[in-house]
Amino acid sequence: MAGTTKYQDLGLVNTAEMFKKAMDGGYAIPAYNFNNLEQLQGIILGCVESKSPVILQVSGSARDYANPVMLRYLAAGAVEMAKAAGGDIPIALHLDHGSNFELAKGCIDNGFSSVMLDGSHHPFEENARLTRQVVEYAHEKDVTVEGELGVLAGIEDEVSHEVSHFTKPEEVEQFVAQTGVDSLAISIGTSHGAYKFKVAPGEEVPPLRFDILEEVEKRVPGFPIVLHGASAVIPKYVEMINRYGGKMDDAVGIPEAQLRKAAGSAVCKINIDSDGRLAMTAAIRKIFAENPAEFDPRKYLGPARDELKIMVKEKNENVLGSAGKA
Ligand code: G3H
Ligand code: 13P
Ligand code: ZN
């Protein structure tokens, strides 16, 4: 299809109202990454059944994997599927870790309602310039923009770091004012992937830097903050993967109690990718271990999708606090 697609025509919403309600209500909107049909179905059904608003997010490489044109129709299909399942929930389609203007523009022109420009690996002024450029284009079309200050460790599309650098609260006010962003991702000790900390047996993982978060909240009161790298790396799925032939011995994530605390603060969006991957992989490994002759994709992708739905519901109800807020 030539031309551009407006997200409003797909039945999507931007994140502005979602974040306002989350800020006022003391909960966080879940942002689940997806790249295929089964993930999308699991996320949507989990959010419909728990009556939660949702941000469907897609990284640059996930967009290439799914195909940008296909994605537009998948998102429209997700909206219609939610309605047919009896839940008219707010759904945003968001670019995760956009690395440049062209990518963000391509998403905006193809029906995304929200984009992230992640310039966190650049010096402040360059980060602000790149982010501002995206904000100017996005806001013309009522698309919301997420920026990032501070660096998370771990693997992201085109943005990969060995070590993290915590956000400097004293930079936040100027960044928000200079760029016009609608939300800001900060670095307070989370990281991407399933191996977030190196801990000896019996040792606790280091707590998140809530002192930095509080300082940020003081400097930009009421401004929506985003937490990346926020999977709990759910132990029951790691155990299941290991039991059925996998090898993820040192996988460890953010304790749920810390995520619950963050969700009650100015953190309005919590990003979850790894936990969804773990839930699906655990289900698939179990099927293959117990039924080595199985070769119908529906017989292993179906249970994987169902497990993801369960994970999403539990997360919305017990961690994000977004259940019942649609
Ligand atoms: O933050 C990164 C997300 O987990 C996306 O991962 O680049 O492998 O799609 P990906
Ligand atoms: P996790 O790897 O902790 O799920 O983080 C995902 C994320 O931040 C996507 O942007
Ligand atoms: Zn991220």
Side-chain angles (χ1 to χ4, degrees), residues 10-12 34 36-37 39-48 54-56 70-93:
L10 302 179
L12 299 164
F34 79 100
N36 69 19
L37 176 66
Q39 285 176 309
L40 187 55
Q41 290 173 324
I43 294 164
I44 287 296
L45 290 177
C47 288
V48 165
V54 64
I55 298 170
L56 301 168
M70 178 67 94
L71 257 183
R72 184 197 309 158
Y73 295 100
L74 279 174
V79 171
E80 296 307 321
M81 183 187 164
K83 283 188 203 156
D88 201 355
I89 57 173
I91 302 175
L93 179 65

PDB file of all heavy atoms in Angstrom, residues 10-12 34 36-37 39-48 54-56 70-93:
ATOM      1  N   LEU A  10      -6.054   2.855  12.294  1.00  0.00           N
ATOM      2  CA  LEU A  10      -5.895   1.442  12.666  1.00  0.00           C
ATOM      3  C   LEU A  10      -6.581   1.141  14.009  1.00  0.00           C
ATOM      4  O   LEU A  10      -6.571   0.005  14.475  1.00  0.00           O
ATOM      5  CB  LEU A  10      -4.406   1.074  12.770  1.00  0.00           C
ATOM      6  CG  LEU A  10      -3.539   1.300  11.526  1.00  0.00           C
ATOM      7  CD1 LEU A  10      -2.087   0.917  11.801  1.00  0.00           C
ATOM      8  CD2 LEU A  10      -4.065   0.506  10.338  1.00  0.00           C
ATOM      9  N   GLY A  11      -7.108   2.183  14.642  1.00  0.00           N
ATOM     10  CA  GLY A  11      -7.761   1.984  15.944  1.00  0.00           C
ATOM     11  C   GLY A  11      -6.801   2.056  17.112  1.00  0.00           C
ATOM     12  O   GLY A  11      -7.145   1.681  18.237  1.00  0.00           O
ATOM     13  N   LEU A  12      -5.582   2.548  16.851  1.00  0.00           N
ATOM     14  CA  LEU A  12      -4.572   2.645  17.921  1.00  0.00           C
ATOM     15  C   LEU A  12      -4.664   4.002  18.614  1.00  0.00           C
ATOM     16  O   LEU A  12      -5.281   4.940  18.096  1.00  0.00           O
ATOM     17  CB  LEU A  12      -3.169   2.484  17.309  1.00  0.00           C
ATOM     18  CG  LEU A  12      -2.905   1.137  16.617  1.00  0.00           C
ATOM     19  CD1 LEU A  12      -1.680   1.219  15.722  1.00  0.00           C
ATOM     20  CD2 LEU A  12      -2.744   0.022  17.655  1.00  0.00           C
ATOM     21  N   PHE A  34       7.107  -7.644  20.753  1.00  0.00           N
ATOM     22  CA  PHE A  34       6.663  -8.792  19.951  1.00  0.00           C
ATOM     23  C   PHE A  34       7.299  -8.728  18.576  1.00  0.00           C
ATOM     24  O   PHE A  34       7.771  -7.675  18.151  1.00  0.00           O
ATOM     25  CB  PHE A  34       5.127  -8.836  19.840  1.00  0.00           C
ATOM     26  CG  PHE A  34       4.559  -7.879  18.819  1.00  0.00           C
ATOM     27  CD1 PHE A  34       4.188  -8.347  17.553  1.00  0.00           C
ATOM     28  CD2 PHE A  34       4.416  -6.538  19.094  1.00  0.00           C
ATOM     29  CE1 PHE A  34       3.674  -7.481  16.596  1.00  0.00           C
ATOM     30  CE2 PHE A  34       3.910  -5.667  18.141  1.00  0.00           C
ATOM     31  CZ  PHE A  34       3.530  -6.133  16.901  1.00  0.00           C
ATOM     32  N   ASN A  36       6.095 -11.651  16.285  1.00  0.00           N
ATOM     33  CA  ASN A  36       5.346 -12.605  15.452  1.00  0.00           C
ATOM     34  C   ASN A  36       3.896 -12.708  15.911  1.00  0.00           C
ATOM     35  O   ASN A  36       3.492 -12.101  16.913  1.00  0.00           O
ATOM     36  CB  ASN A  36       6.034 -13.980  15.435  1.00  0.00           C
ATOM     37  CG  ASN A  36       5.964 -14.693  16.779  1.00  0.00           C
ATOM     38  OD1 ASN A  36       5.145 -14.372  17.637  1.00  0.00           O
ATOM     39  ND2 ASN A  36       6.824 -15.671  16.971  1.00  0.00           N
ATOM     40  N   LEU A  37       3.127 -13.481  15.162  1.00  0.00           N
ATOM     41  CA  LEU A  37       1.686 -13.570  15.401  1.00  0.00           C
ATOM     42  C   LEU A  37       1.351 -14.129  16.775  1.00  0.00           C
ATOM     43  O   LEU A  37       0.501 -13.592  17.483  1.00  0.00           O
ATOM     44  CB  LEU A  37       1.058 -14.457  14.311  1.00  0.00           C
ATOM     45  CG  LEU A  37      -0.428 -14.738  14.466  1.00  0.00           C
ATOM     46  CD1 LEU A  37      -1.240 -13.451  14.299  1.00  0.00           C
ATOM     47  CD2 LEU A  37      -0.889 -15.788  13.460  1.00  0.00           C
ATOM     48  N   GLN A  39       3.075 -14.228  19.551  1.00  0.00           N
ATOM     49  CA  GLN A  39       3.375 -13.288  20.647  1.00  0.00           C
ATOM     50  C   GLN A  39       2.274 -12.229  20.726  1.00  0.00           C
ATOM     51  O   GLN A  39       1.793 -11.891  21.812  1.00  0.00           O
ATOM     52  CB  GLN A  39       4.720 -12.595  20.406  1.00  0.00           C
ATOM     53  CG  GLN A  39       5.919 -13.478  20.664  1.00  0.00           C
ATOM     54  CD  GLN A  39       7.207 -12.753  20.316  1.00  0.00           C
ATOM     55  OE1 GLN A  39       7.345 -12.196  19.224  1.00  0.00           O
ATOM     56  NE2 GLN A  39       8.155 -12.751  21.229  1.00  0.00           N
ATOM     57  N   LEU A  40       1.885 -11.715  19.581  1.00  0.00           N
ATOM     58  CA  LEU A  40       0.863 -10.668  19.554  1.00  0.00           C
ATOM     59  C   LEU A  40      -0.458 -11.195  20.124  1.00  0.00           C
ATOM     60  O   LEU A  40      -1.106 -10.536  20.942  1.00  0.00           O
ATOM     61  CB  LEU A  40       0.684 -10.182  18.108  1.00  0.00           C
ATOM     62  CG  LEU A  40      -0.214  -8.974  17.897  1.00  0.00           C
ATOM     63  CD1 LEU A  40       0.230  -7.793  18.738  1.00  0.00           C
ATOM     64  CD2 LEU A  40      -0.231  -8.590  16.424  1.00  0.00           C
ATOM     65  N   GLN A  41      -0.838 -12.398  19.710  1.00  0.00           N
ATOM     66  CA  GLN A  41      -2.082 -12.986  20.229  1.00  0.00           C
ATOM     67  C   GLN A  41      -2.018 -13.169  21.749  1.00  0.00           C
ATOM     68  O   GLN A  41      -2.961 -12.843  22.463  1.00  0.00           O
ATOM     69  CB  GLN A  41      -2.330 -14.353  19.569  1.00  0.00           C
ATOM     70  CG  GLN A  41      -2.696 -14.265  18.102  1.00  0.00           C
ATOM     71  CD  GLN A  41      -2.759 -15.646  17.461  1.00  0.00           C
ATOM     72  OE1 GLN A  41      -1.964 -16.536  17.797  1.00  0.00           O
ATOM     73  NE2 GLN A  41      -3.684 -15.838  16.544  1.00  0.00           N
ATOM     74  N   GLY A  42      -0.894 -13.690  22.223  1.00  0.00           N
ATOM     75  CA  GLY A  42      -0.747 -13.932  23.665  1.00  0.00           C
ATOM     76  C   GLY A  42      -0.826 -12.638  24.460  1.00  0.00           C
ATOM     77  O   GLY A  42      -1.486 -12.565  25.504  1.00  0.00           O
ATOM     78  N   ILE A  43      -0.162 -11.611  23.957  1.00  0.00           N
ATOM     79  CA  ILE A  43      -0.144 -10.318  24.661  1.00  0.00           C
ATOM     80  C   ILE A  43      -1.547  -9.706  24.668  1.00  0.00           C
ATOM     81  O   ILE A  43      -2.043  -9.256  25.708  1.00  0.00           O
ATOM     82  CB  ILE A  43       0.866  -9.350  23.991  1.00  0.00           C
ATOM     83  CG1 ILE A  43       2.306  -9.867  24.155  1.00  0.00           C
ATOM     84  CG2 ILE A  43       0.724  -7.936  24.556  1.00  0.00           C
ATOM     85  CD1 ILE A  43       3.315  -9.209  23.217  1.00  0.00           C
ATOM     86  N   ILE A  44      -2.183  -9.698  23.508  1.00  0.00           N
ATOM     87  CA  ILE A  44      -3.511  -9.079  23.417  1.00  0.00           C
ATOM     88  C   ILE A  44      -4.515  -9.816  24.305  1.00  0.00           C
ATOM     89  O   ILE A  44      -5.258  -9.188  25.078  1.00  0.00           O
ATOM     90  CB  ILE A  44      -3.997  -9.049  21.938  1.00  0.00           C
ATOM     91  CG1 ILE A  44      -3.216  -7.990  21.164  1.00  0.00           C
ATOM     92  CG2 ILE A  44      -5.502  -8.782  21.841  1.00  0.00           C
ATOM     93  CD1 ILE A  44      -3.423  -6.562  21.631  1.00  0.00           C
ATOM     94  N   LEU A  45      -4.528 -11.129  24.222  1.00  0.00           N
ATOM     95  CA  LEU A  45      -5.512 -11.874  25.027  1.00  0.00           C
ATOM     96  C   LEU A  45      -5.229 -11.711  26.517  1.00  0.00           C
ATOM     97  O   LEU A  45      -6.153 -11.566  27.326  1.00  0.00           O
ATOM     98  CB  LEU A  45      -5.529 -13.353  24.630  1.00  0.00           C
ATOM     99  CG  LEU A  45      -6.125 -13.610  23.235  1.00  0.00           C
ATOM    100  CD1 LEU A  45      -6.035 -15.083  22.880  1.00  0.00           C
ATOM    101  CD2 LEU A  45      -7.580 -13.136  23.146  1.00  0.00           C
ATOM    102  N   GLY A  46      -3.940 -11.703  26.897  1.00  0.00           N
ATOM    103  CA  GLY A  46      -3.591 -11.491  28.306  1.00  0.00           C
ATOM    104  C   GLY A  46      -4.060 -10.133  28.793  1.00  0.00           C
ATOM    105  O   GLY A  46      -4.520  -9.988  29.941  1.00  0.00           O
ATOM    106  N   CYS A  47      -3.959  -9.133  27.940  1.00  0.00           N
ATOM    107  CA  CYS A  47      -4.369  -7.777  28.337  1.00  0.00           C
ATOM    108  C   CYS A  47      -5.889  -7.617  28.298  1.00  0.00           C
ATOM    109  O   CYS A  47      -6.457  -6.932  29.152  1.00  0.00           O
ATOM    110  CB  CYS A  47      -3.669  -6.731  27.452  1.00  0.00           C
ATOM    111  SG  CYS A  47      -1.905  -6.612  27.848  1.00  0.00           S
ATOM    112  N   VAL A  48      -6.544  -8.261  27.338  1.00  0.00           N
ATOM    113  CA  VAL A  48      -8.013  -8.211  27.309  1.00  0.00           C
ATOM    114  C   VAL A  48      -8.559  -8.893  28.559  1.00  0.00           C
ATOM    115  O   VAL A  48      -9.429  -8.356  29.254  1.00  0.00           O
ATOM    116  CB  VAL A  48      -8.564  -8.887  26.025  1.00  0.00           C
ATOM    117  CG1 VAL A  48     -10.064  -9.167  26.158  1.00  0.00           C
ATOM    118  CG2 VAL A  48      -8.294  -8.018  24.810  1.00  0.00           C
ATOM    119  N   VAL A  54      -2.364  -1.439  26.885  1.00  0.00           N
ATOM    120  CA  VAL A  54      -1.086  -2.083  26.523  1.00  0.00           C
ATOM    121  C   VAL A  54      -0.338  -1.292  25.453  1.00  0.00           C
ATOM    122  O   VAL A  54      -0.947  -0.682  24.579  1.00  0.00           O
ATOM    123  CB  VAL A  54      -1.317  -3.547  26.057  1.00  0.00           C
ATOM    124  CG1 VAL A  54      -2.150  -3.624  24.782  1.00  0.00           C
ATOM    125  CG2 VAL A  54       0.015  -4.283  25.857  1.00  0.00           C
ATOM    126  N   ILE A  55       0.986  -1.319  25.587  1.00  0.00           N
ATOM    127  CA  ILE A  55       1.857  -0.799  24.535  1.00  0.00           C
ATOM    128  C   ILE A  55       2.509  -2.005  23.878  1.00  0.00           C
ATOM    129  O   ILE A  55       3.203  -2.790  24.541  1.00  0.00           O
ATOM    130  CB  ILE A  55       2.925   0.156  25.122  1.00  0.00           C
ATOM    131  CG1 ILE A  55       2.242   1.360  25.760  1.00  0.00           C
ATOM    132  CG2 ILE A  55       3.913   0.584  24.029  1.00  0.00           C
ATOM    133  CD1 ILE A  55       3.175   2.247  26.582  1.00  0.00           C
ATOM    134  N   LEU A  56       2.247  -2.169  22.570  1.00  0.00           N
ATOM    135  CA  LEU A  56       2.883  -3.233  21.796  1.00  0.00           C
ATOM    136  C   LEU A  56       4.148  -2.629  21.236  1.00  0.00           C
ATOM    137  O   LEU A  56       4.084  -1.633  20.506  1.00  0.00           O
ATOM    138  CB  LEU A  56       1.967  -3.665  20.652  1.00  0.00           C
ATOM    139  CG  LEU A  56       0.591  -4.178  21.041  1.00  0.00           C
ATOM    140  CD1 LEU A  56      -0.304  -4.279  19.807  1.00  0.00           C
ATOM    141  CD2 LEU A  56       0.707  -5.547  21.723  1.00  0.00           C
ATOM    142  N   MET A  70       3.530  -5.900   6.896  1.00  0.00           N
ATOM    143  CA  MET A  70       2.773  -6.907   7.646  1.00  0.00           C
ATOM    144  C   MET A  70       2.429  -6.391   9.042  1.00  0.00           C
ATOM    145  O   MET A  70       1.320  -6.610   9.551  1.00  0.00           O
ATOM    146  CB  MET A  70       3.600  -8.193   7.741  1.00  0.00           C
ATOM    147  CG  MET A  70       2.949  -9.289   8.535  1.00  0.00           C
ATOM    148  SD  MET A  70       1.485  -9.935   7.741  1.00  0.00           S
ATOM    149  CE  MET A  70       2.180 -11.314   6.851  1.00  0.00           C
ATOM    150  N   LEU A  71       3.382  -5.669   9.641  1.00  0.00           N
ATOM    151  CA  LEU A  71       3.186  -5.156  11.005  1.00  0.00           C
ATOM    152  C   LEU A  71       1.964  -4.255  11.120  1.00  0.00           C
ATOM    153  O   LEU A  71       1.233  -4.303  12.106  1.00  0.00           O
ATOM    154  CB  LEU A  71       4.402  -4.323  11.412  1.00  0.00           C
ATOM    155  CG  LEU A  71       5.408  -4.936  12.348  1.00  0.00           C
ATOM    156  CD1 LEU A  71       6.473  -3.906  12.671  1.00  0.00           C
ATOM    157  CD2 LEU A  71       4.754  -5.439  13.631  1.00  0.00           C
ATOM    158  N   ARG A  72       1.806  -3.412  10.119  1.00  0.00           N
ATOM    159  CA  ARG A  72       0.676  -2.480  10.110  1.00  0.00           C
ATOM    160  C   ARG A  72      -0.634  -3.263  10.219  1.00  0.00           C
ATOM    161  O   ARG A  72      -1.532  -2.923  10.978  1.00  0.00           O
ATOM    162  CB  ARG A  72       0.730  -1.704   8.799  1.00  0.00           C
ATOM    163  CG  ARG A  72      -0.275  -0.631   8.639  1.00  0.00           C
ATOM    164  CD  ARG A  72      -0.402  -0.216   7.183  1.00  0.00           C
ATOM    165  NE  ARG A  72       0.879   0.088   6.554  1.00  0.00           N
ATOM    166  CZ  ARG A  72       1.094   0.066   5.229  1.00  0.00           C
ATOM    167  NH1 ARG A  72       0.119  -0.225   4.399  1.00  0.00           N
ATOM    168  NH2 ARG A  72       2.284   0.350   4.742  1.00  0.00           N
ATOM    169  N   TYR A  73      -0.737  -4.332   9.454  1.00  0.00           N
ATOM    170  CA  TYR A  73      -1.972  -5.114   9.468  1.00  0.00           C
ATOM    171  C   TYR A  73      -2.084  -5.989  10.718  1.00  0.00           C
ATOM    172  O   TYR A  73      -3.185  -6.247  11.210  1.00  0.00           O
ATOM    173  CB  TYR A  73      -2.077  -5.950   8.186  1.00  0.00           C
ATOM    174  CG  TYR A  73      -2.201  -5.059   6.971  1.00  0.00           C
ATOM    175  CD1 TYR A  73      -1.108  -4.791   6.163  1.00  0.00           C
ATOM    176  CD2 TYR A  73      -3.414  -4.415   6.690  1.00  0.00           C
ATOM    177  CE1 TYR A  73      -1.210  -3.937   5.081  1.00  0.00           C
ATOM    178  CE2 TYR A  73      -3.525  -3.557   5.620  1.00  0.00           C
ATOM    179  CZ  TYR A  73      -2.416  -3.321   4.807  1.00  0.00           C
ATOM    180  OH  TYR A  73      -2.522  -2.456   3.759  1.00  0.00           O
ATOM    181  N   LEU A  74      -0.949  -6.416  11.218  1.00  0.00           N
ATOM    182  CA  LEU A  74      -0.974  -7.168  12.483  1.00  0.00           C
ATOM    183  C   LEU A  74      -1.523  -6.279  13.603  1.00  0.00           C
ATOM    184  O   LEU A  74      -2.335  -6.715  14.416  1.00  0.00           O
ATOM    185  CB  LEU A  74       0.438  -7.637  12.859  1.00  0.00           C
ATOM    186  CG  LEU A  74       0.967  -8.898  12.185  1.00  0.00           C
ATOM    187  CD1 LEU A  74       2.425  -9.127  12.568  1.00  0.00           C
ATOM    188  CD2 LEU A  74       0.136 -10.123  12.568  1.00  0.00           C
ATOM    189  N   ALA A  75      -1.074  -5.018  13.610  1.00  0.00           N
ATOM    190  CA  ALA A  75      -1.534  -4.098  14.660  1.00  0.00           C
ATOM    191  C   ALA A  75      -3.031  -3.831  14.514  1.00  0.00           C
ATOM    192  O   ALA A  75      -3.773  -3.852  15.503  1.00  0.00           O
ATOM    193  CB  ALA A  75      -0.741  -2.790  14.598  1.00  0.00           C
ATOM    194  N   ALA A  76      -3.469  -3.607  13.274  1.00  0.00           N
ATOM    195  CA  ALA A  76      -4.904  -3.388  13.048  1.00  0.00           C
ATOM    196  C   ALA A  76      -5.670  -4.643  13.459  1.00  0.00           C
ATOM    197  O   ALA A  76      -6.742  -4.557  14.083  1.00  0.00           O
ATOM    198  CB  ALA A  76      -5.159  -3.052  11.580  1.00  0.00           C
ATOM    199  N   GLY A  77      -5.124  -5.794  13.145  1.00  0.00           N
ATOM    200  CA  GLY A  77      -5.761  -7.056  13.519  1.00  0.00           C
ATOM    201  C   GLY A  77      -5.833  -7.224  15.028  1.00  0.00           C
ATOM    202  O   GLY A  77      -6.814  -7.743  15.558  1.00  0.00           O
ATOM    203  N   ALA A  78      -4.798  -6.759  15.711  1.00  0.00           N
ATOM    204  CA  ALA A  78      -4.774  -6.869  17.179  1.00  0.00           C
ATOM    205  C   ALA A  78      -5.910  -6.043  17.789  1.00  0.00           C
ATOM    206  O   ALA A  78      -6.573  -6.487  18.738  1.00  0.00           O
ATOM    207  CB  ALA A  78      -3.427  -6.396  17.723  1.00  0.00           C
ATOM    208  N   VAL A  79      -6.127  -4.851  17.234  1.00  0.00           N
ATOM    209  CA  VAL A  79      -7.210  -3.992  17.743  1.00  0.00           C
ATOM    210  C   VAL A  79      -8.554  -4.683  17.542  1.00  0.00           C
ATOM    211  O   VAL A  79      -9.393  -4.748  18.459  1.00  0.00           O
ATOM    212  CB  VAL A  79      -7.194  -2.618  17.016  1.00  0.00           C
ATOM    213  CG1 VAL A  79      -8.433  -1.798  17.362  1.00  0.00           C
ATOM    214  CG2 VAL A  79      -5.916  -1.849  17.351  1.00  0.00           C
ATOM    215  N   GLU A  80      -8.755  -5.230  16.354  1.00  0.00           N
ATOM    216  CA  GLU A  80     -10.037  -5.880  16.053  1.00  0.00           C
ATOM    217  C   GLU A  80     -10.208  -7.166  16.872  1.00  0.00           C
ATOM    218  O   GLU A  80     -11.301  -7.475  17.333  1.00  0.00           O
ATOM    219  CB  GLU A  80     -10.144  -6.193  14.544  1.00  0.00           C
ATOM    220  CG  GLU A  80     -10.152  -4.943  13.672  1.00  0.00           C
ATOM    221  CD  GLU A  80     -11.219  -3.927  14.081  1.00  0.00           C
ATOM    222  OE1 GLU A  80     -12.345  -4.322  14.438  1.00  0.00           O
ATOM    223  OE2 GLU A  80     -10.900  -2.709  14.067  1.00  0.00           O
ATOM    224  N   MET A  81      -9.096  -7.885  17.054  1.00  0.00           N
ATOM    225  CA  MET A  81      -9.164  -9.124  17.840  1.00  0.00           C
ATOM    226  C   MET A  81      -9.544  -8.818  19.291  1.00  0.00           C
ATOM    227  O   MET A  81     -10.335  -9.535  19.912  1.00  0.00           O
ATOM    228  CB  MET A  81      -7.806  -9.821  17.783  1.00  0.00           C
ATOM    229  CG  MET A  81      -7.773 -11.149  18.496  1.00  0.00           C
ATOM    230  SD  MET A  81      -6.077 -11.755  18.535  1.00  0.00           S
ATOM    231  CE  MET A  81      -6.212 -12.998  19.780  1.00  0.00           C
ATOM    232  N   ALA A  82      -8.976  -7.732  19.824  1.00  0.00           N
ATOM    233  CA  ALA A  82      -9.293  -7.347  21.207  1.00  0.00           C
ATOM    234  C   ALA A  82     -10.781  -7.041  21.333  1.00  0.00           C
ATOM    235  O   ALA A  82     -11.444  -7.500  22.269  1.00  0.00           O
ATOM    236  CB  ALA A  82      -8.456  -6.134  21.619  1.00  0.00           C
ATOM    237  N   LYS A  83     -11.305  -6.290  20.372  1.00  0.00           N
ATOM    238  CA  LYS A  83     -12.735  -5.941  20.421  1.00  0.00           C
ATOM    239  C   LYS A  83     -13.596  -7.192  20.334  1.00  0.00           C
ATOM    240  O   LYS A  83     -14.550  -7.360  21.090  1.00  0.00           O
ATOM    241  CB  LYS A  83     -13.085  -5.018  19.245  1.00  0.00           C
ATOM    242  CG  LYS A  83     -12.652  -3.589  19.442  1.00  0.00           C
ATOM    243  CD  LYS A  83     -13.216  -2.745  18.311  1.00  0.00           C
ATOM    244  CE  LYS A  83     -12.407  -1.480  18.125  1.00  0.00           C
ATOM    245  NZ  LYS A  83     -12.516  -0.920  16.784  1.00  0.00           N
ATOM    246  N   ALA A  84     -13.229  -8.084  19.407  1.00  0.00           N
ATOM    247  CA  ALA A  84     -14.014  -9.314  19.229  1.00  0.00           C
ATOM    248  C   ALA A  84     -13.958 -10.180  20.487  1.00  0.00           C
ATOM    249  O   ALA A  84     -14.894 -10.907  20.794  1.00  0.00           O
ATOM    250  CB  ALA A  84     -13.493 -10.087  18.022  1.00  0.00           C
ATOM    251  N   ALA A  85     -12.850 -10.070  21.231  1.00  0.00           N
ATOM    252  CA  ALA A  85     -12.715 -10.871  22.461  1.00  0.00           C
ATOM    253  C   ALA A  85     -13.409 -10.172  23.634  1.00  0.00           C
ATOM    254  O   ALA A  85     -13.309 -10.622  24.776  1.00  0.00           O
ATOM    255  CB  ALA A  85     -11.244 -11.111  22.770  1.00  0.00           C
ATOM    256  N   GLY A  86     -14.065  -9.055  23.342  1.00  0.00           N
ATOM    257  CA  GLY A  86     -14.875  -8.385  24.367  1.00  0.00           C
ATOM    258  C   GLY A  86     -14.137  -7.332  25.159  1.00  0.00           C
ATOM    259  O   GLY A  86     -14.637  -6.826  26.163  1.00  0.00           O
ATOM    260  N   GLY A  87     -12.929  -6.941  24.698  1.00  0.00           N
ATOM    261  CA  GLY A  87     -12.169  -5.943  25.466  1.00  0.00           C
ATOM    262  C   GLY A  87     -11.721  -4.800  24.591  1.00  0.00           C
ATOM    263  O   GLY A  87     -10.788  -4.946  23.818  1.00  0.00           O
ATOM    264  N   ASP A  88     -12.409  -3.660  24.719  1.00  0.00           N
ATOM    265  CA  ASP A  88     -12.026  -2.494  23.927  1.00  0.00           C
ATOM    266  C   ASP A  88     -10.920  -1.751  24.683  1.00  0.00           C
ATOM    267  O   ASP A  88     -11.147  -0.681  25.232  1.00  0.00           O
ATOM    268  CB  ASP A  88     -13.273  -1.615  23.721  1.00  0.00           C
ATOM    269  CG  ASP A  88     -13.090  -0.702  22.528  1.00  0.00           C
ATOM    270  OD1 ASP A  88     -11.979  -0.693  21.959  1.00  0.00           O
ATOM    271  OD2 ASP A  88     -14.056   0.003  22.190  1.00  0.00           O
ATOM    272  N   ILE A  89      -9.745  -2.346  24.739  1.00  0.00           N
ATOM    273  CA  ILE A  89      -8.653  -1.789  25.554  1.00  0.00           C
ATOM    274  C   ILE A  89      -7.817  -0.805  24.728  1.00  0.00           C
ATOM    275  O   ILE A  89      -7.682  -0.972  23.522  1.00  0.00           O
ATOM    276  CB  ILE A  89      -7.736  -2.918  26.103  1.00  0.00           C
ATOM    277  CG1 ILE A  89      -7.159  -3.761  24.945  1.00  0.00           C
ATOM    278  CG2 ILE A  89      -8.498  -3.819  27.071  1.00  0.00           C
ATOM    279  CD1 ILE A  89      -6.123  -4.777  25.360  1.00  0.00           C
ATOM    280  N   PRO A  90      -7.234   0.230  25.378  1.00  0.00           N
ATOM    281  CA  PRO A  90      -6.345   1.134  24.640  1.00  0.00           C
ATOM    282  C   PRO A  90      -5.069   0.390  24.224  1.00  0.00           C
ATOM    283  O   PRO A  90      -4.414  -0.242  25.050  1.00  0.00           O
ATOM    284  CB  PRO A  90      -6.014   2.238  25.651  1.00  0.00           C
ATOM    285  CG  PRO A  90      -6.984   2.075  26.777  1.00  0.00           C
ATOM    286  CD  PRO A  90      -7.394   0.639  26.784  1.00  0.00           C
ATOM    287  N   ILE A  91      -4.745   0.482  22.933  1.00  0.00           N
ATOM    288  CA  ILE A  91      -3.564  -0.207  22.395  1.00  0.00           C
ATOM    289  C   ILE A  91      -2.684   0.797  21.648  1.00  0.00           C
ATOM    290  O   ILE A  91      -3.167   1.486  20.740  1.00  0.00           O
ATOM    291  CB  ILE A  91      -3.968  -1.345  21.429  1.00  0.00           C
ATOM    292  CG1 ILE A  91      -4.875  -2.365  22.137  1.00  0.00           C
ATOM    293  CG2 ILE A  91      -2.731  -2.037  20.848  1.00  0.00           C
ATOM    294  CD1 ILE A  91      -5.434  -3.460  21.235  1.00  0.00           C
ATOM    295  N   ALA A  92      -1.422   0.894  22.044  1.00  0.00           N
ATOM    296  CA  ALA A  92      -0.454   1.733  21.332  1.00  0.00           C
ATOM    297  C   ALA A  92       0.532   0.828  20.612  1.00  0.00           C
ATOM    298  O   ALA A  92       0.847  -0.264  21.091  1.00  0.00           O
ATOM    299  CB  ALA A  92       0.282   2.643  22.312  1.00  0.00           C
ATOM    300  N   LEU A  93       1.014   1.283  19.464  1.00  0.00           N
ATOM    301  CA  LEU A  93       2.079   0.570  18.740  1.00  0.00           C
ATOM    302  C   LEU A  93       3.317   1.462  18.767  1.00  0.00           C
ATOM    303  O   LEU A  93       3.274   2.600  18.290  1.00  0.00           O
ATOM    304  CB  LEU A  93       1.640   0.285  17.296  1.00  0.00           C
ATOM    305  CG  LEU A  93       2.667  -0.443  16.418  1.00  0.00           C
ATOM    306  CD1 LEU A  93       2.929  -1.865  16.934  1.00  0.00           C
ATOM    307  CD2 LEU A  93       2.186  -0.506  14.953  1.00  0.00           C
TER     308      LEU A  93
END
